[in-house]
């Protein structure tokens, strides 16, 4: 059983549950925004590399965000830790940046 802590609560979840939570930061309360920063969580196996996980998340974006197409996957760092910035476009032609994975 995994112990889980949020700002709102602390609870136990069965091990079969997967953390797929997302934090969405945008400039607009209710409407489409010209900028959105998304932090998403995904599980990784011991055999996964950062690039494998980033590629898997980019594929999930293509499957779940209508009209999303991967534009780039760029190595970087966040707070000294390795990361990958995944960016793409949607059918509207606007740049979609999923942020960094680490």
């Amino acid at each position: 059983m995994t112990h889980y802590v949020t700002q709102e609560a602390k609870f136990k979840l069965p091990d079969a549950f997967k953390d797929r939570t997302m934090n969405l930061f945008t400039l607009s309360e209710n409407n489409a925004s010209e900028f959105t920063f998304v932090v998403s969580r995904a599980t990784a196996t011991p055999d996964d590399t950062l690039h494998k996980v980033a590629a898997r998340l980019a594929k999930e974006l293509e499957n779940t965000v209508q009209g999303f197409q991967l534009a780039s996957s760029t190595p970087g760092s966040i707070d000294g830790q390795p990361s990958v910035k995944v960016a793409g476009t949607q059918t509207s032609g606007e740049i979609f940046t999923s942020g960094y994975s680490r």
Side-chain angles (χ1 to χ4, degrees):
M1 182 82 43
T2 303
H3 289 267
Y4 212 86
V5 178
T6 71
Q7 290 178 330
E8 297 83 19
K10 181 177 180 179
F11 49 92
K12 292 183 180 181
L13 292 174
D15 292 333
F17 280 36
K18 305 297 180 214
D19 185 354
R20 301 295 306 198
T21 55
M22 298 175 76
N23 295 91
L24 181 70
F25 301 93
T26 183
L27 298 175
S28 173
E29 286 285 332
N30 300 312
N31 302 322
S33 176
E34 66 273 13
F35 174 82
T36 301
F37 179 74
V38 180
V39 177
S40 59
R41 291 164 189 80
T43 55
T45 67
D47 295 336
D48 276 337
T49 65
L50 178 61
H51 296 287
K52 282 183 186 178
V53 173
R56 186 169 63 240
L57 291 174
K59 188 67 174 169
E60 288 178 12
L61 283 170
E62 289 176 337
N63 292 334
T64 58
V65 177
Q66 186 175 8
F68 176 84
Q69 290 186 320
L70 180 65
S72 65
S73 180
T74 311
S77 69
I78 297 177
D79 197 24
Q81 297 296 314
S83 64
V84 177
K85 182 178 183 179
V86 178
T89 58
Q90 290 178 265
T91 48
S92 65
E94 296 176 13
I95 294 295
F96 178 98
T97 304
S98 74
Y100 287 85
S101 309
R102 66 173 171 155

